[in-house]
Amino acid sequence: MRETQQGAVCRWPGGSSNQSPLPDPAVDVAPLAESSVAEAVLAGGCFWCVEAVFLALQGVQEVTSGYAGGDAATASYRQVCSGTTGHAEAVRVRFDPATISFGALLKVFFGVAHDPTQRNRQGNDVGPQYRSAVFYLDESQRAVAEAYIRQLDDSGVFSAPIATTLEAYSGFYPAEEEHQNFAQRHPDAGYIRVVAVPKLDKLKRAFAPQLRS
């Protein structure tokens, strides 16, 4: 555990380990003409840095840190950190599908936001609350995520099989206010400098055209 002004928090010094460019998804969700907002719920370890990555993308309207995969009664930071509640730390991404597709979000998720080859952990943080997961909201999201995982495994871009689970969405519970937009509010925090900044640097190198101006 480490300490910040918010108190004890879960430690996660690890990050995405792949070095090769990821292919674009061969299968994607077609945007509905009448829809200007869609949602994705993704889990990739500690939500502070995953949130920071998605907030930098064009077409992303809102990112909320929270908990998915468990019940409302135990959806609090200290309970989820126990690893016994069934939740994963996750982010809910609200986006304009005409600007950025679900498949494009997945490419960033697998390529920058975390290391999808680690099972029930990210770096030194171990437990199911740090699992890599796509909480699909409908069958089209499930199909796209399943196809992209297969595509990435077949491509050999990662040195180990992808461990990301596909889980049916059963609810999302926003985290406490102190955890929202943490990287932007605390840019000088050691954790953010060590974990978030390298991810954002990688995002700038690999996805420059997709970033907010």
Side-chain angles (χ1 to χ4, degrees), residues 179-208:
H179 297 296
Q180 305 300 333
N181 201 22
F182 189 91
Q184 288 191 9
R185 291 189 297 108
H186 302 284
D188 295 325
Y191 177 86
I192 297 304
R193 292 198 305 268
V194 170
V195 182
V197 170
K199 291 179 184 295
L200 293 172
D201 288 344
K202 184 175 183 180
L203 185 71
K204 292 173 185 176
R205 294 193 302 270
F207 293 92

Side-chain angles (χ1 to χ4, degrees), residues 101-133:
S101 68
F102 179 68
L105 290 176
L106 290 182
K107 184 176 180 180
V108 173
F109 176 66
F110 287 111
V112 175
H114 78 309
D115 181 353
T117 68
Q118 296 194 51
R119 187 178 302 278
N120 287 338
R121 70 179 300 161
Q122 285 292 302
N124 287 347
D125 271 358
V126 179
Q129 70 273 31
Y130 300 110
R131 67 188 182 272
S132 172

Side-chain angles (χ1 to χ4, degrees), residues 75-174:
S76 72
Y77 189 71
R78 289 192 179 274
Q79 288 172 292
V80 171
C81 274
S82 72
T84 63
T85 67
H87 297 89
E89 289 197 17
V91 296
R92 180 180 63 199
V93 183
R94 288 182 169 152
F95 61 100
D96 177 1
T99 303
I100 186 168
S101 68
F102 179 68
L105 290 176
L106 290 182
K107 184 176 180 180
V108 173
F109 176 66
F110 287 111
V112 175
H114 78 309
D115 181 353
T117 68
Q118 296 194 51
R119 187 178 302 278
N120 287 338
R121 70 179 300 161
Q122 285 292 302
N124 287 347
D125 271 358
V126 179
Q129 70 273 31
Y130 300 110
R131 67 188 182 272
S132 172
V134 175
F135 292 91
Y136 57 88
L137 276 68
D138 53 33
E139 178 59 24
S140 62
Q141 287 192 353
R142 186 206 63 76
V144 168
E146 183 178 63
Y148 195 42
I149 290 172
R150 187 184 311 115
Q151 181 183 350
L152 293 177
D153 277 337
D154 290 346
S155 73
V157 69
F158 292 104
S159 59
I162 288 175
T164 306
T165 60
L166 303 182
E167 305 180 34
Y169 175 82
S170 60
F172 178 85
Y173 310 101

